[in-house]
Amino acid sequence: MFLHIHSSMQCFAIALYLAVATGIHFFARYIIKDYYQHQKYSVISTALTAFIGFSLYLLSLRYAYPYYVTYQIFICCLAISIFTDAFALLISELFTTHTIPLAWIAAYYGYLPISVTESIYASIIAALLLKLTRMISGYVMKKEAIGSGDIDIFCFIAAWLSFTGAWFAITFGSCFGAIYGIFQILLGADKKTLQLPLGTFLGIGAIIYLIW
């Protein structure tokens, strides 16, 4: 009897988090309604929604209060950028750089397992590192290789997860972004005009780091 109730509660929790992820998906879809291509990305959007929903559920198992509440806010903001970048190559500052002070406040009051100093330094170092990388890659490749939105989301991740989490995210994002790019070229995409949703891969990497 107890196991049945426990199993039912787990199913309810999973369904609830999937519903939250679906709501985030539709909210992001509304933001980029002029760019969204539903037919082309329906499978990807479903996969991303499921990934975010299950990640929110695993987060509740992985962390105790108050961390899991704070990290749920982080994932919800991050998920919006994951969707908008995946479908329209757009990342809003409202859900990245504008929410960085929330991470500093949370760290200061003990709602994050990092210090406020670590959060601030990590976000500053992340910004400087990616801006330097952008400048060097732009000089070598003669075109913009890293968008300003990618820098914003990297700083956002660093502020919430410290530089360790941001480093994992950029490593994951770079590797899987390269694999995605190669796959697109093999399918016939023009490598000179191909644009990769790096912010999406950074976000997925950050979530994997968080729930690992």
Side-chain angles (χ1 to χ4, degrees), residues 165-191:
W167 186 255
F168 179 91
I170 194 68
T171 302
F172 178 94
S174 299
C175 292
F176 279 81
I179 294 172
Y180 174 81
I182 293 172
F183 182 71
Q184 290 296 311
I185 291 173
L186 292 175
L187 290 178
D190 186 353
K191 63 181 180 181

Side-chain angles (χ1 to χ4, degrees), residues 48 55 59-60 74 84 111 126 187 197 206:
L48 287 176
S55 296
L59 193 71
S60 66
F74 165 72
T84 58
Y111 286 91
L187 290 178

Side-chain angles (χ1 to χ4, degrees), residues 48 52 78-87 153 199-200 203-204 207:
L48 287 176
I52 292 167
L78 187 61
I80 294 172
S81 297
I82 289 175
F83 281 119
T84 58
D85 193 42
F87 303 135
I153 197 171
T200 296
I204 293 173
I207 293 175

Side-chain angles (χ1 to χ4, degrees), residues 23 26 29 45 62 73 77 83 89 91 110-111 124-125 131 137-138 154-155 173 177:
F26 280 103
R29 180 177 170 179
S45 64
R62 175 77 170 77
I73 296 173
C77 290
F83 281 119
L89 295 175
I91 296 176
Y111 286 91
I124 293 174
I125 293 173
K131 285 185 177 180
S137 61
F154 187 57
C155 296

